[in-house]
Structure formats: C-alpha cells, structure tokens
C-alpha cells in the first residue's frame, strides 16, 4: 500500500468511515475450483434494484473503493449495469473475475466504464494443472486470451496466484507469464477455510518448507508488501495497534445482503435487506467488538515476539476458534520469514510434549 493510501486509510479509521467495500454480486460460478470457500447455489441474491439502493447508501456513508466479485460476477446479466451505476456514483471499481466469459464486447465495456483494475486468478502456467484446479477444460487458455485482449485495450490487469499443494512449484512460472503479458502479479500462499466454517480445505495448504522457500524468494514481486505486515510507526505502542482494516475502514457484503468485517472474516454483523448500511456500520455489536480489540487484548499474541510485525488475520483466527486468538497460518508465515517460533507455536509444542509424558 502506498504512503498516500496508508494515510487515507488511517484517516478513514480515525473518522469511522467505511472507505472500502468488497461486494460479491453472486456466488454462482462457471468454475469449480478445488480450494473455493463459497457455495455456488443461488439462494436469492440481491436484485439490481437492491444493489443500486445499497450503492446509494454506501456512497452516502463515504465508501470510495469498491471491489466487485463473486463467484463469477459475469454470470449476472446486469453486471455492467451495476458497474455503470457504481461509476456514476464515482466509486473506484476493481473487478475480480476468472475472465473466461470476457470477449471483445465485455473488455470494451470494462474499459469504457473506467474500471480501475481487473484481477484474474491463474493457478499455474501449465494448462493441465490450472484446469484440474478449476475443473473446466481449457480454462487457462480462455483466461489468458481474455487477459491479452484486456491488456491490449489499455486495461490494468493483475494476475493473482493462490499457491497450494498442486501448484507449489508453479508460482515462478505464473510470475514470468504475468511479466510477458504486461500485468502485475500477486501471490497468496494461504488457503481460506470455507465460509461455513468447514476447515477441510486447509489440507491443500503447502507445507512449512515450501512456505519458507516462497516467502524468502527474493524474485517474488512485491514479496515484502505481500508477506510482511507494517510495524507500528514511531511513537506508537505496538500493543495499541489494530490488526487490519477489516471492520475498521473496510467490510464485505455477500450476494444476500449479509455484512461481515471481511470476506475472510465471516462474522455475521447485519443484513442490508433489513437495516441501512450506515446503521450496520456504526452500530452493529459485532463490528463494535471487532473495533474494540487491540494487540494487548490478545491472550497469546500479545506475548509473542512477532506481535509488532505479524500479518495476523483476525478472520482466520475467528474461523480457528476466536477472533482474539492466533491465526496458525500467520504464525507459520512469521516462522517462515524469521525462523523464530511464535508464542502460539511454543504453546502447542509444550502441550504436545506434556501429553507425551
């Protein structure tokens, strides 16, 4: 994050403004990715009129950055009407898509509507590996064709690479592909549990040695920005820091109007079909609880040597059992970067040793 955006975000937090919203317009998808944390049935997603009303409320609340995603958002026939209305309200729009439905007309609309960036997930540079993950034959080539055309139209495209057991050796190939295509590249070595709490997807996570290799690979673009949390600034007590923007200046809204602190933090905090967005943002007891937590309030993490610079995700911690607890995935990241076990890892080791005695 640039220093300007950091300052804007800090100001939004201080003023209680929901600067950024991630809105899934559908959970339906034309791929069936093995690591996906969403259900794909349509259980009554918001209509265009409901989404337009939500956009109006979000604009009034101060939202500026809007990420539109899914599922696959292009499965909604009214997607471009939604984007057009969002741009009329001057939202800065980012689109997340698998891109296999993007052809020349769709790319032209994305360009003409002024979408800031388009993010496309590419899991491997090898078609047989990528397609096995998406369960759609030919999906890699279709996504790459769309990316090439969008870049040719002057669109900013980011290739996102989620690393899992099946792709642990492919991230460098995907990064090379991104460079050849003229896109930016981002990498994520963490699998997210299913939004319903099912943690079985975590079996796809790479092991500790592979994580260490990736996180210490100096050739990975923006590795420092992606893997290392920014420590508190001079004069700021690390114990009074907040873990991330979730619930503080950002939130997530599902296709059914449910509001959560973040897409990786599925704590039900209200529903825009029953309440105004601003009332949920200001008065939700769940969001108030999230905002009340500081590093010093974390029973385990407050005593950890990594507390000032850890990338601890409160949502992953929540899905692990407690939003005030450790996130094992982030403990592993800290260990991979430093070789120093976290307080959580030490406690688990001690408990395991005690159980053996």
């Amino acid at each position: 994050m640039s220093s300007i955006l950091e300052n804007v975000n800090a100001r939004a937090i201080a003023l209680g403004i929901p600067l950024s919203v991630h809105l899934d317009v559908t959970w339906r998808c034309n791929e069936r990715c093995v690591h996906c944390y969403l259900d794909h049935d349509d259980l009554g997603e918001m209509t265009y009129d409901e989404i337009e009303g939500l956009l109006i409320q979000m604009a009034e609340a101060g939202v500026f950055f809007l990420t539109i995603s899914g599922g696959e958002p292009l499965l909604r026939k009214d997607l471009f009407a939604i984007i057009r209305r969002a741009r009329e309200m001057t939202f800065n729009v980012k689109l997340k898509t698998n891109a296999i439905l993007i052809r020349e007309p769709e790319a032209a609309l994305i360009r003409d509507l002024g979408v800031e960036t388009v993010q496309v997930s590419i899991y491997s540079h090898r078609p047989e590996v990528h397609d096995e993950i998406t369960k759609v034959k030919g999906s890699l080539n279709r996504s790459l064709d769309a990316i090439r055309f969008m870049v040719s139209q002057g669109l900013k495209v980011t290739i996102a690479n989620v690393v899992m057991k099946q792709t642990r050796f492919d991230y460098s190939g995907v990064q090379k592909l991104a460079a050849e295509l003229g896109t930016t590249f981002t990498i994520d070595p963490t699998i997210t549990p299913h939004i319903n709490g099912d943690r079985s997807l975590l079996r796809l996570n790479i092991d500790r040695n592979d994580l260490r290799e990736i996180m210490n690979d100096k050739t990975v673009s923006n590795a420092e920005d992606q893997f290392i949390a920014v420590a508190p600034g001079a004069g700021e007590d690390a114990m009074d820091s907040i873990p991330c923007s979730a619930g503080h200046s950002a939130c997530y809204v599902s296709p059914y109007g449910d509001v959560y602190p973040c897409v990786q933090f599925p704590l039900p905090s209200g529903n825009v079909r029953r309440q105004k967005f601003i009332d949920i943002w200001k008065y939700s007891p769940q969001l108030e609880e999230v905002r009340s937590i500081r590093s010093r309030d974390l029973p385990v993490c407050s005593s950890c040597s990594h507390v000032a610079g850890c990338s601890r995700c409160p949502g992953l911690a929540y899905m692990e059992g407690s939003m005030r607890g450790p996130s094992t995935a982030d403990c592993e990241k800290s260990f991979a970067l430093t070789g120093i076990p976290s307080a959580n890892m030490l406690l688990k080791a001690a408990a395991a040793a005690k159980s053996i005695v």
Side-chain angles (χ1 to χ4, degrees), residues 226-248:
Q226 295 181 70
F227 299 141
I228 303 175
V230 178
E236 182 181 352
D237 187 345
M239 293 295 103
D240 289 325
S241 64
I242 60 175
C244 69
S245 297
H248 292 270

Side-chain angles (χ1 to χ4, degrees), residues 149-167:
F149 187 75
M150 287 190 288
V151 171
S152 76
Q153 296 299 296
L155 289 165
K156 289 189 253 183
V157 180
T158 295
I159 284 180
N161 180 228
V162 178
V163 181
M164 60 193 88
K165 285 181 178 178
Q166 301 95 310
T167 66

Side-chain angles (χ1 to χ4, degrees), residues 75-93:
L75 287 179
R76 282 196 65 131
K77 292 181 169 42
D78 56 2
L79 173 67
F80 291 110
I82 292 169
I83 295 175
R84 185 184 306 279
R85 192 71 182 100
R87 292 294 297 132
E88 288 172 353
M89 297 182 196
T90 69
F91 286 107
N92 177 287
V93 175

